[in-house]
Amino acid sequence: MRHKHGYRKLGRTSTHRGALLKNLAIAIIKYEKIETTLPKAKELRGHIEKLITRARKGDFNAHRAVFALLQDKECTKKLVEEIAPKYEQRNGGYTRIIKTRTRRGDAAPMAFLELV
């Protein structure tokens, strides 16, 4: 049982899970809306909201902290200079999950994750 466990393992090792979340975070920053499985979307929501909160300051240290997690210069710049200032007056809740369909191959529940 996983009572109060804290995070979803998503059937991956910790390094694979970290790489997956990093790549999904880069995708949502680049395209602002992605479709993925529901458990991945729910796990990514906390990850991306922490990044946006950190980027809201907009200073050099925010750039460094975000780049340390994303390892992508273009997405870091877009997050700190374009996306994060839009949420300056908002205390969390930067993303929205919309359930869409079940995937035909394995019946996985799919969802859109988008920036509000």
Side-chain angles (χ1 to χ4, degrees), residues 29-42:
I29 291 166
K30 194 177 288 184
Y31 302 112
E32 298 189 7
K33 182 177 184 179
I34 59 172
E35 185 180 25
T36 183
T37 61
L38 187 61
K40 286 179 192 172
K42 287 181 177 180

Side-chain angles (χ1 to χ4, degrees), residues 10 26 39 43 47 61 67 74 85 87 91 96 108 111:
L10 302 174
I26 289 170
E43 191 63 27
H47 188 74
N61 286 331
F67 182 75
E74 294 85 24
Y87 301 114
N91 295 326
R96 174 185 301 131

Side-chain angles (χ1 to χ4, degrees), residues 54 59-71 76 80:
R54 196 171 280 176
D59 59 354
F60 180 69
N61 286 331
H63 270 275
R64 286 182 56 161
V66 171
F67 182 75
L69 293 172
L70 288 181
Q71 297 292 313
T76 299
V80 175

Side-chain angles (χ1 to χ4, degrees), residues 2-9 43 50:
R2 61 164 309 278
H3 296 299
K4 296 281 193 177
H5 184 264
Y7 61 91
R8 294 166 185 83
K9 289 187 177 181
E43 191 63 27
K50 287 175 189 170

